[in-house]
Amino acid sequence: MVSRMFRLVTEVDRTRRDLLRTRLRETNTTASSVLRSLRDTPHEREFPLHVWVLHERGALAGGLVGHTWATWLHVTYLWVDDRYRGTGLGSALLAEAERTARDERACAAARVETWDFQAPDFYRRRGYEVVCVIPDYPPGVTEYTLVKRLE
C-alpha cells in the first residue's frame, strides 16, 4: 500500500529512468556474482552489431541490427527486402553476425525474439532452439524466444 507520504507519477522522465537503471544495476551487481564478474570487462556494456546488405548503388537490400553483451549476441531486427527473400541474404546476415560475435567478441550464444508470422522456422533451421513461447503477445500473435550456442 502506498502511504500518504508518497505520490504515484505516470510520466516519461528520462532523468528518473537513468537513475532507476543505475540503481537497479547496482542492486543486481551486488546480488549476482556473475554480473559482478562482468564489471570492468569488455562484456560489461552492450556493443552494437550491425550487418547490412547493400545494392551496388547503396540501397538497402537487407540488414541485421543487434548487440553483444555478457558473451551473448542479441538479434534485435533482421529484415530482407521481399525481392530477395529466399536467396540466402537472411542466412548470410545472420551467419556474419554470429561469426563476428563469436570470433571478434568472444560470444558463446545468441538469442532472438520473433513472432509466429515472422521467422521462427528460419531460426530453427539455423540451429536455434525455442526456449520460450508467449501466446497472445500481442493479442492474436505468438512470440518466440530462441537461442543458439555459437561454436
Side-chain angles (χ1 to χ4, degrees), residues 1-8:
M1 182 164 91
V2 177
S3 72
R4 292 182 188 169
M5 58 192 261
F6 299 105
R7 67 185 167 99
L8 294 176

Side-chain angles (χ1 to χ4, degrees), residues 49-54 60-66 73 75 77-81 84-85 87-101 122-123 126 128:
L49 196 159
H50 298 181
V51 183
W52 307 107
V53 175
L54 306 175
L60 183 64
L64 181 149
V65 172
L73 164 64
V75 177
Y77 309 120
L78 191 157
W79 174 84
V80 174
D81 187 292
Y84 307 108
R85 293 198 180 148
T87 66
L89 287 185
S91 297
L93 288 162
L94 186 59
E96 180 59 18
E98 291 172 351
R99 185 204 61 76
T100 300
F122 168 83
Y123 291 105
R126 280 143 195 87
Y128 286 72

